[in-house]
Amino acid sequence: MNISSFLLILANTLMLVSGQFLWKYGLMQREKPFESIRTIIEVILSPYIIGGLFIYGCATVLWLFILTRVDLSLAYPIQSLAYIISIIGAYYFFGESLSMLKIVGCLLILAGVACIGFSGKYA
């Protein structure tokens, strides 16, 4: 896999995480977003939720393009970097906890992605 393919996968991953963050922020704007049909519709029509859906749609189109260039068995594990980005982002943007176990989990994910990435080079 070349650097441009890796950067495309990384861009796709960042788009997915950004969409999730917009959804989370949009849901945080209401005290009880699923209290009634009316509040559900209001949440769905929120600019944050719609923006997240738009970004997700763009990420899906990009993913389809990526799959024409990169083996799924290589591309999909790299996309697991979204877990790490989301944990770090949630800590900074939403004040969520960042425990030692989460950090160890992130390191294990990085190690797994590295092993998969190198497997194509040395197999």
Side-chain angles (χ1 to χ4, degrees), residues 1-11 70 78 81 113:
M1 179 174 60
N2 58 35
I3 190 72
S4 65
S5 294
F6 177 78
L7 291 174
L8 286 172
I9 297 168
L10 185 60
V70 180
I78 292 171
L81 295 173
V113 170

Side-chain angles (χ1 to χ4, degrees), residues 12-123:
N12 176 263
T13 302
L14 291 172
M15 291 168 73
L16 293 174
V17 172
S18 298
Q20 291 284 337
F21 278 32
L22 283 173
W23 290 345
K24 173 75 172 174
Y25 187 76
L27 290 168
M28 290 172 59
Q29 301 307 301
R30 299 201 54 95
E31 191 171 316
K32 295 181 180 180
F34 294 96
E35 184 175 45
S36 67
I37 297 294
R38 180 176 182 229
T39 59
I40 292 171
I41 291 170
E42 288 173 354
V43 165
I44 290 171
L45 296 177
S46 157
Y48 300 108
I49 303 300
I50 292 172
L53 287 169
F54 177 77
I55 291 172
Y56 245 65
C58 292
T60 299
V61 172
L62 178 58
W63 185 248
L64 294 173
F65 176 73
I66 290 167
L67 291 179
T68 66
R69 300 179 66 171
V70 180
D71 291 343
L72 180 63
S73 63
L74 185 58
Y76 200 70
I78 292 171
Q79 199 178 50
S80 68
L81 295 173
Y83 294 113
I84 297 168
I85 297 165
S86 66
I87 287 171
I88 294 167
Y91 173 77
Y92 284 106
F93 293 115
F94 301 118
E96 295 184 10
S97 67
L98 184 60
S99 67
M100 186 55 70
L101 278 177
K102 286 181 182 179
I103 293 170
V104 169
C106 287
L107 293 173
L108 289 171
I109 291 169
L110 280 174
V113 170
C115 287
I116 292 167
F118 289 130
S119 71
K121 210 176 212 183
Y122 300 111

